[in-house]
């Protein structure tokens, strides 16, 4: 029994995907929306599902809530801004000066330019802080949340120390948990067909449009990884197999 037939255009994830051919489980694939290019579809699964599961499932964002996204101009962030808007939230995006226009163009209502302002020092309070950078101490992040607000720490630490950073954040949240009413659920995104179909619907309807920074040929994979490791991609970086 298979969900797809030969020749179907699909998108999703597979192990060892820096390759011309891959073997993928049908449980991590969905039909590609017709209005997307291959590059757009390739950019969507991990970043889009991370944003979706963080905002819809962990934070349970409701219409009218205020969501702050730290790292809004990156791969996950550009999906997160659009998904939070599609859930009816007001979105504040944190990015550098050069990306202000970009995050506004995908729907951010307000922008904090981190080269000029520290978002943890603002008087504004948020229902959800979706943190894709992890560069601020957790107690400072909790300070800008409403008493029943939710902090979703999703990454950070950079390529040299992602696991240590992740472990450190988890331990820190365990220590702080008894002393705050704010919630700090962990997030480890898992790609599945149901959520890919949900994401496909958002992209088909135009509520979410993948933001592509640049595309590399397969033989330039090392350059692509080096570029992403600089942590300043604007949206997603894709590999093209021609
Ligand atoms: N938990 C999970 O399941 C899961 C899944 C996927 C990804 N992740 C993690 O999520 C994180 C984000 O992933 P990503 O793919 O979105 O990364 P990315 O595309 O590499 O993010 C790059 C973006 O980060 C922004 N940035 C850098 N320094 C910043 C700062 N100080 N303040 C605000 N923004 C800053 C950059 O904007 P500027 O150029 O304007 O500085 C750039 O747009 C990573 O740590 C990744 O490992 C976790």
């Amino acid at each position: 029994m298979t969900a797809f037939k030969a020749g179907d255009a699909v998108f999703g994830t597979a192990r060892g995907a820096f390759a011309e051919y891959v073997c993928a489980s049908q449980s991590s694939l969905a039909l590609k929306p017709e209005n997307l290019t291959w590059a757009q579809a390739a950019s969507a699964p991990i970043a889009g599902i991370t944003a979706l599961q963080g905002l819809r499932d962990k934070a349970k964002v409701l219409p009218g809530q205020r969501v702050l996204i730290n790292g809004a101009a990156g791969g996950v962030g550009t999906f997160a801004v659009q998904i939070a808007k599609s859930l009816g939230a007001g979105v504040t995006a944190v990015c550098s000066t050069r990306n202000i226009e970009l995050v506004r163009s995908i729907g951010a209502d307000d922008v904090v330019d981190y080269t000029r302002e520290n978002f943890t020092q603002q008087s504004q309070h948020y229902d959800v802080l979706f943190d894709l950078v992890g560069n601020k101490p957790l107690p400072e992040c909790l300070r800008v949340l409403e008493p029943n607000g939710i902090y979703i720490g999703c990454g950070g630490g950079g390529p040299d120390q992602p696991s240590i950073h992740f472990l450190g954040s988890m331990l820190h949240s365990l220590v702080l948990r008894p002393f705050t009413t704010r919630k700090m659920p962990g997030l480890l995104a898992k790609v599945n067909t149901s959520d890919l179909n949900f994401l496909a619907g958002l992209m088909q309807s135009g509520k979410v449009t993948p933001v592509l920074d640049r595309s590399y040929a397969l033989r330039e994979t090392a350059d692509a990884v080096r570029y992403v490791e600089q942590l300043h991609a604007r949206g997603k970086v894709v590999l093209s197999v021609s």
Side-chain angles (χ1 to χ4, degrees):
M1 176 77 175
T2 171
F4 307 105
K5 59 183 189 312
D8 277 348
V10 296
F11 76 124
T13 55
R15 284 180 177 229
F18 288 170
E20 194 171 357
Y21 295 97
V22 289
C23 185
S25 159
Q26 61 177 322
S27 62
S28 56
L29 297 175
L31 290 174
K32 177 180 94 65
E34 284 171 6
N35 60 329
L36 291 195
T37 64
W38 285 108
Q40 286 176 316
S43 78
I46 293 180
I49 294 294
T50 303
L52 180 66
Q53 293 178 353
L55 294 167
R56 183 197 63 183
D57 303 341
K58 294 286 179 177
K60 299 190 177 9
V61 170
L62 295 170
Q65 286 194 319
R66 285 188 302 272
V67 175
L68 180 130
I69 298 166
N70 187 27
V76 179
T78 47
F79 279 96
V81 170
Q82 299 178 80
I83 288 172
K85 288 300 295 178
S86 78
L87 295 169
V91 174
T92 299
V94 182
C95 65
S96 65
T97 315
R98 74 185 184 120
N99 286 322
I100 291 174
E101 276 309 305
L102 167 67
V103 295
R104 283 210 184 275
S105 73
I106 56 173
D109 301 286
D110 295 301
V111 181
V112 176
D113 177 348
Y114 73 76
T115 68
R116 293 160 192 264
E117 276 179 274
N118 177 346
F119 73 84
T120 67
Q121 303 300 317
Q122 294 180 311
S123 54
Q124 178 71 50
H125 285 75
Y126 301 92
D127 300 293
V128 177
L129 198 173
F130 195 44
D131 190 359
L132 303 165
V133 185
N135 59 336
K136 301 290 181 208
L138 194 50
E140 288 182 26
C141 291
L142 298 186
R143 213 182 53 74
V144 294
L145 281 174
E146 297 287 357
N148 58 352
I150 300 184
Y151 172 88
I152 312 266
C154 182
D160 298 336
Q161 37 161 322
S163 337
I164 294 172
H165 184 91
F166 193 59
L167 204 62
S169 305
M170 274 178 58
L171 287 175
H172 206 166
S173 66
L174 282 177
V175 171
L176 287 175
R177 210 156 279 175
F179 305 103
T180 178
T181 53
R182 282 91 175 166
K183 303 254 179 330
M184 296 168 271
L187 172 66
L188 199 53
K190 193 161 181 340
V191 173
N192 61 74
T193 300
S194 166
D195 286 351
L196 284 171
N197 279 328
F198 189 94
L199 187 61
L202 291 175
M203 296 189 292
Q204 186 92 52
S205 68
K207 288 184 177 158
V208 170
T209 302
V211 175
L212 298 187
D213 178 335
R214 54 177 85 172
S215 168
Y216 289 85
L218 189 57
R219 66 177 181 284
E220 299 169 327
T221 298
D223 291 333
V225 172
R226 270 192 286 273
Y227 176 65
V228 169
E229 282 185 349
Q230 291 168 20
L231 305 181
H232 289 291
R234 309 172 86 188
K236 290 295 295 180
V237 175
V238 297
L239 294 178
S240 290
V241 180
S242 49

